[in-house]
C-alpha cells in the first residue's frame, strides 16, 4: 500500500477519533495496489496543495469506515473519497470554463455556483482515465457537493464523510453529525449533513443555489410520504 494509507496518524494527526467506526476487513492485494495508485496519482495532481491532499485521503479513510458500518462497499467508498476533490486543483476561472465546455448546466450563472462544479467535472473526466472503476463511484463524486433527492447509500456515505472527516475543525454542526454516526440511520445522517450545509450557507450570507432547496423539499416530501404509508 502507498505511503499515504500505510500510517493513519500521518493523515489523522491525533490517531483514530473515538467516534470513528472500526476499520473494514483488509483489502485484497489487488485492491490495495489500486488504492495506492489512486493516492499516488492524487498526490501528483494536488502537488503544492498538501491540505487538500490530506483532506482527500482523510475523506477516503472516513468513507470506507462509514461504508463498512452502514453496509456499503468500503472499497468503492475509499476510491470515491480519495478522488472526490480531483478537480479542486483547477483555478476558479478554469473550473467555470471547463464546466461550460463539458456542458454542465445548473440553471444558474456558473460564476455563482463555482464551488459546486468540481465534483461534476471530475465525474465526467475521470471515467476515461480509470475505466476499471465502478460507475457508482463517479455518481458519488458527482453528487458530493450539491447532493441529490435520490442519493444511493454510497452517495450518502461520501457526502457525509466529506463533511465530518477528522481533519475538519469541530464546529458544533460537525460534532453533532459525528455523534450520529452509528446511532442514526444513514439517510438521517445524510439529511442532517445536507441541512446543516444549507444553514451554513445562510449563516455566512453566501449565495444559496435554488436547486438546493428543491432537493431538500423533495427529500422531505418523500420522507413524509413514506411515513404516511407506514402509519
Amino acid at each position: 500500500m502507498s505511503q499515504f494509507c500505510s500510517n493513519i496518524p500521518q493523515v489523522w494527526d491525533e490517531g483514530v477519533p473515538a467516534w470513528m467506526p472500526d476499520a473494514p476487513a483488509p483489502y485484497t492485494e489487488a485492491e490495495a495496489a489500486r488504492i495506492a495508485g489512486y493516492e499516488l496519482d492524487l498526490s501528483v495532481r494536488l502537488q503544492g496543495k498538501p491540505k487538500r491532499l490530506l483532506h482527500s485521503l482523510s475523506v477516503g479513510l472516513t468513507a470506507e469506515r462509514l461504508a463498512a458500518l452502514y453496509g456499503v462497499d468500503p472499497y468503492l467508498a475509499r476510491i470515491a473519497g480519495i478522488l472526490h476533490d480531483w478537480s479542486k486543483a483547477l483555478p476558479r476561472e478554469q473550473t467555470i470554463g471547463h464546466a461550460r465546455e463539458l456542458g454542465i448546466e445548473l440553471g444558474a450563472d456558473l460564476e455563482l455556483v463555482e464551488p459546486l462544479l468540481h465534483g461534476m467535472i471530475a465525474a465526467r473526466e475521470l471515467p476515461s482515465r480509470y475505466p476499471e472503476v465502478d460507475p457508482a463511484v463517479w455518481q458519488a463524486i458527482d453528487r458530493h457537493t450539491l447532493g441529490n433527492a435520490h442519493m444511493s447509500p454510497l452517495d450518502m456515505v461520501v457526502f457525509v464523510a466529506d463533511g465530518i472527516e477528522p481533519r475538519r475543525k469541530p464546529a458544533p454542526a460537525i460534532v453533532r453529525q459525528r455523534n450520529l454516526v452509528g446511532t442514526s440511520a444513514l439517510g438521517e445522517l445524510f439529511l442532517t449533513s445536507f441541512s446543516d450545509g444549507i444553514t451554513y450557507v445562510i449563516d455566512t450570507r453566501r449565495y444559496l443555489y435554488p436547486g438546493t432547496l428543491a432537493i431538500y423539499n423533495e427529500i422531505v416530501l418523500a420522507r413524509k410520504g413514506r411515513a404516511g404509508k407506514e402509519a
Side-chain angles (χ1 to χ4, degrees):
M1 298 181 73
S2 78
Q3 59 177 316
F4 301 112
C5 55
S6 62
N7 183 12
I8 286 178
Q10 181 176 331
V11 177
W12 295 338
D13 298 328
E14 298 179 2
V16 181
W19 57 267
M20 182 66 68
D22 292 336
Y27 295 114
T28 66
E29 185 174 342
E31 289 172 336
R34 290 191 202 101
I35 288 171
Y38 302 136
E39 291 186 330
L40 181 59
D41 289 351
L42 185 70
S43 71
V44 174
R45 174 75 172 182
L46 296 180
Q47 189 171 14
K49 295 181 181 246
K51 290 183 179 179
R52 179 62 53 187
L53 174 60
L54 286 172
H55 163 73
S56 297
L57 299 178
S58 182
V59 173
L61 289 167
T62 304
E64 73 170 8
R65 286 169 174 246
L66 290 177
L69 177 66
Y70 286 107
V72 179
D73 188 328
Y75 175 66
L76 297 184
R78 178 71 174 270
I79 296 172
I82 292 168
L83 299 176
H84 80 287
D85 274 355
W86 178 272
S87 293
K88 273 278 194 177
L90 300 175
R92 173 183 168 82
E93 291 306 317
Q94 190 175 342
T95 296
I96 295 167
H98 208 17
R100 288 181 176 136
E101 291 171 1
L102 292 169
I104 295 174
E105 292 284 349
L106 293 178
D109 186 343
L110 295 187
E111 294 274 352
L112 295 174
V113 294
E114 185 270 337
L116 302 176
L117 300 176
H118 62 277
M120 302 172 197
I121 292 172
R124 286 159 175 77
E125 291 194 329
L126 288 178
S128 61
R129 183 183 180 106
Y130 302 116
E132 75 281 4
V133 173
D134 191 307
V137 168
W138 309 131
Q139 177 175 287
I141 290 175
D142 179 83
R143 295 177 173 180
H144 89 269
T145 53
L146 177 57
N148 189 276
H150 307 283
M151 298 281 276
S152 73
L154 177 62
D155 297 342
M156 291 189 280
V157 160
V158 176
F159 189 99
V160 170
D162 186 27
I164 68 172
E165 59 94 355
R167 299 190 66 85
R168 295 275 192 194
K169 294 181 179 179
I174 292 175
V175 172
R176 180 171 61 253
Q177 293 164 35
R178 288 171 178 169
N179 288 338
L180 289 176
V181 172
T183 65
S184 165
L186 179 58
E188 185 63 31
L189 179 57
F190 161 69
L191 183 55
T192 300
S193 177
F194 185 77
S195 302
D196 285 344
I198 295 174
T199 301
Y200 174 78
V201 171
I202 294 172
D203 285 346
T204 55
R205 303 295 190 266
R206 303 184 187 201
Y207 174 78
L208 179 61
Y209 171 57
T212 300
L213 291 178
I215 291 170
Y216 173 81
N217 285 333
E218 188 172 349
I219 293 172
V220 169
L221 290 175
R223 286 163 60 88
K224 287 186 176 179
R226 288 196 299 271
K229 290 178 181 179
E230 292 170 359

